[in-house]
Amino acid sequence: MTTLYGYFRSSAAYRVRIALNLKGLDYDQIPVNLVKGEQRGDDHLMRNPQGLVPSLVLDDSSVINQSLAICEYLDEVHPEPALLPINALERARVRALAQSVACEIHPLNNLRVLKYLVREMGADEAAKLAWYHHWIAEGFTALEATLSNAPSSGDFCHGDTPTLADICLIPQVYNAERFECDLSAYPTIQRIVTNCRSLPAFEKAAPEVQPDAS
């Protein structure tokens, strides 16, 4: 069976759980505790030399790393329901929305960056939170404008079915809420999040219901 190596609070692993659930695929989960440093263990580094999660191990023992690569692989091998539109221009829009989160917002606020701020740069808790809130506000302000001004936005980031963009958005909002970011300025994002969270695929992927949740 396909096995997902991840961590319940990892945004990237959260994305893959949503994608697997939307596709209706069965998978096992093996936790890699990022807080305890298990991602730096020899076994995991053999799967993922970056020491990151997630890693998806297929039935033939092939390994895929990087959440967006995993999601697009799943979409190519299991095309229904589609995570990307058929039209090339619409596909580009969905990828741009997804990457605005995965490539611009998330890397500045993930666990290893926050740890570096505290341990190596001497930031206290207030400074760490200020950093987190700043980059969420900057990223979500642009994303809200993009979503609210586009006729192709619907019940979800693009149209009326979930796409790769929603798969990236929901985990980032979860973490923003966890760090007590004020999201009141983003009504379009909030509406989309409410629609996503009403779906079983998103509910089943939520961090608090994962086997390693603590």
Side-chain angles (χ1 to χ4, degrees), residues 17-145:
R17 293 196 301 266
I18 296 170
L20 287 163
N21 295 342
L22 285 170
K23 297 292 184 181
L25 300 174
D26 292 328
Y27 59 100
D28 286 332
Q29 290 196 70
I30 296 181
V32 179
N33 193 312
L34 303 183
V35 176
K36 294 181 179 179
E38 292 177 358
Q39 71 275 22
R40 295 187 293 274
D42 290 343
D43 287 347
H44 189 67
L45 289 174
M46 288 291 292
R47 282 185 296 272
N48 190 327
Q50 286 185 293
L52 302 174
V53 296
S55 292
L56 191 72
V57 180
L58 307 179
D59 294 348
D60 64 357
S61 298
S62 299
V63 181
I64 309 175
N65 296 316
Q66 290 294 334
S67 62
L68 296 189
I70 294 171
C71 290
E72 293 215 29
Y73 166 83
L74 293 173
D75 207 38
E76 291 171 6
V77 175
H78 306 279
E80 296 296 333
L83 304 180
L84 289 164
I86 295 174
N87 177 275
L89 185 59
E90 292 181 356
R91 279 203 309 275
R93 178 178 187 264
V94 169
R95 286 188 173 116
L97 291 168
Q99 290 174 21
S100 71
V101 175
C103 302
E104 303 294 340
I105 302 173
H106 172 246
L108 290 164
N109 287 330
N110 66 17
L111 181 62
R112 62 178 179 163
V113 169
L114 297 180
K115 283 186 173 181
Y116 189 86
L117 285 173
V118 173
R119 294 177 180 176
E120 306 299 328
M121 304 300 292
D124 60 15
E125 186 66 15
K128 183 184 79 171
L129 287 176
W131 169 280
Y132 195 103
H133 289 187
H134 170 79
W135 294 114
I136 287 292
E138 183 153 308
F140 277 13
T141 297
L143 185 59
E144 175 72 19

Side-chain angles (χ1 to χ4, degrees), residues 93 139-150 153 185-186 188-189:
R93 178 178 187 264
F140 277 13
T141 297
L143 185 59
E144 175 72 19
T146 301
L147 292 170
S148 63
N149 293 328
S153 299
Y186 319 116
T188 308
I189 290 174

